[in-house]
């Protein structure tokens, strides 16, 4: 992938994440801090599908943004075709693993497993 495309992805995920995290924070401000951390309140958040979808989108955006940034940093440290492939595939695998693990919470809650 060309560097300009990678940077557009990086900037786009950053802007979208800032917007969604702002919405997330504003929604949390509708409750008291202690109340928003109560077990029942957290479960209710995950069971409310539009909010859970927003949390999932935030997870994906921040994972893509973060691992893309890590990839760029690691590629600046060293050059070489094999190294670049290893870094790219390693970051992709870590990103997919993080998204899968984070999604697990929302899925388990909505299936009544929690």
């Amino acid at each position: 992938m060309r560097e300009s495309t990678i940077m557009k992805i990086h900037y786009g995920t950053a802007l979208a994440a800032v917007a969604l995290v702002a919405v997330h924070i504003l929604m949390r401000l509708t409750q008291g801090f202690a109340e928003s951390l109560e077990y029942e309140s957290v479960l209710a958040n995950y069971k409310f599908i539009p909010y859970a979808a927003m949390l999932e989108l935030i997870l994906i955006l921040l994972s893509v943004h973060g691992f893309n940034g890590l990839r760029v940093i690691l590629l600046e440290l060293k050059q070489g075709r094999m190294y670049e492939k290893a870094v790219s595939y390693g970051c992709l695998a870590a990103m997919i693993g993080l998204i899968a693990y984070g999604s697990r919470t929302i899925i388990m809650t909505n299936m009544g497993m929690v």
Side-chain angles (χ1 to χ4, degrees), residues 6-72:
I6 290 170
M7 291 314 293
K8 286 179 185 175
I9 291 170
H10 200 66
Y11 297 147
T13 56
L15 290 172
V18 166
L20 287 178
V21 169
V23 171
H24 169 65
I25 290 170
L26 290 172
M27 289 181 76
R28 292 300 93 221
L29 290 176
T30 62
Q31 289 180 307
F33 180 72
E35 182 186 348
S36 72
L37 295 177
E38 290 176 2
Y39 184 74
E40 294 79 21
S41 178
V42 172
L43 280 182
N45 288 333
Y46 284 125
K47 289 183 179 182
F48 182 53
I49 299 299
Y51 189 70
M54 185 184 73
L55 291 176
E56 182 72 21
L57 194 53
I58 290 171
L59 171 66
I60 292 167
L61 287 169
L62 291 178
S63 297
V64 170
H65 181 76
F67 281 107
N68 185 45
L70 177 63
R71 180 187 159 278
V72 169

